[in-house]
Amino acid sequence: MASDQHKSYESRVATTTLTLAAWTGTWVATCAVLAFGPKFLWAENTAITLTAVALNVLVGVAMVIANKKHIASLDEMQKRITLEAMGITLGVGLIVSVPYSLMDAYDLIAFDAEIAHLVAIMGITYLASTIWRVWSFR
């Protein structure tokens, strides 16, 4: 009986993980279309660009919903690890983004502050904090 429950749990987590991966990949693809489409695909046509924005937002909402379902499918320890990593990532994102943007505004850095830099910092923070929390529970 316990083995069946374990398989059911593993199956549920695998399904939500794959669904989340699919929506995340789709969202990344819509980001690429939104970033490069106006220049390379549709000659900065405003209507098409706004449609791409709307599609990106809709796919992003679907990704958030998939993320919520994935977290709900986890056991208590995995939920705790995930939520702590997300909390740390949110904090780092806020703490880094404001001074980073202001340094750009006051020309204290020799390059433009790009959102991609913040996304990279947040991704690295999430990965590192997840690994740290998994390691700390062992």
Side-chain angles (χ1 to χ4, degrees):
M1 184 84 173
S3 179
D4 289 341
Q5 287 177 342
H6 185 69
K7 286 181 184 178
S8 173
Y9 169 74
E10 286 180 349
S11 175
R12 186 175 66 248
V13 170
T15 299
T16 61
T17 300
L18 289 173
T19 301
L20 178 56
W23 280 113
T24 301
T26 303
W27 178 76
V28 169
T30 65
C31 285
V33 168
L34 186 56
F36 300 112
K39 183 174 181 180
F40 297 112
L41 298 176
W42 56 78
E44 298 182 14
N45 180 302
T46 303
I48 297 173
T49 302
L50 289 174
T51 301
V53 168
L55 179 63
N56 178 261
V57 170
L58 290 173
V59 171
V61 169
M63 182 181 67
V64 169
I65 292 167
N67 204 355
K68 182 184 176 307
K69 289 179 180 178
H70 173 66
I71 292 170
S73 75
L74 300 175
D75 66 23
E76 291 303 314
M77 186 176 80
Q78 288 176 319
K79 282 181 187 177
R80 181 174 176 180
I81 290 168
T82 301
L83 293 176
E84 287 181 12
M86 287 178 165
I88 291 167
T89 302
L90 174 63
V92 168
L94 288 172
I95 291 167
V96 169
S97 65
V98 172
Y100 185 58
S101 175
L102 291 173
M103 287 190 310
D104 182 30
Y106 293 115
D107 293 323
L108 298 175
I109 54 178
F111 51 89
D112 290 333
E114 299 287 341
I115 191 68
H117 302 153
L118 181 59
V119 171
I121 288 169
M122 291 175 73
I124 292 166
T125 301
Y126 181 74
L127 180 62
S129 59
T130 299
I131 291 169
W132 170 65
R133 293 308 291 154
V134 166
W135 180 81
S136 71
F137 276 113
R138 291 186 184 254

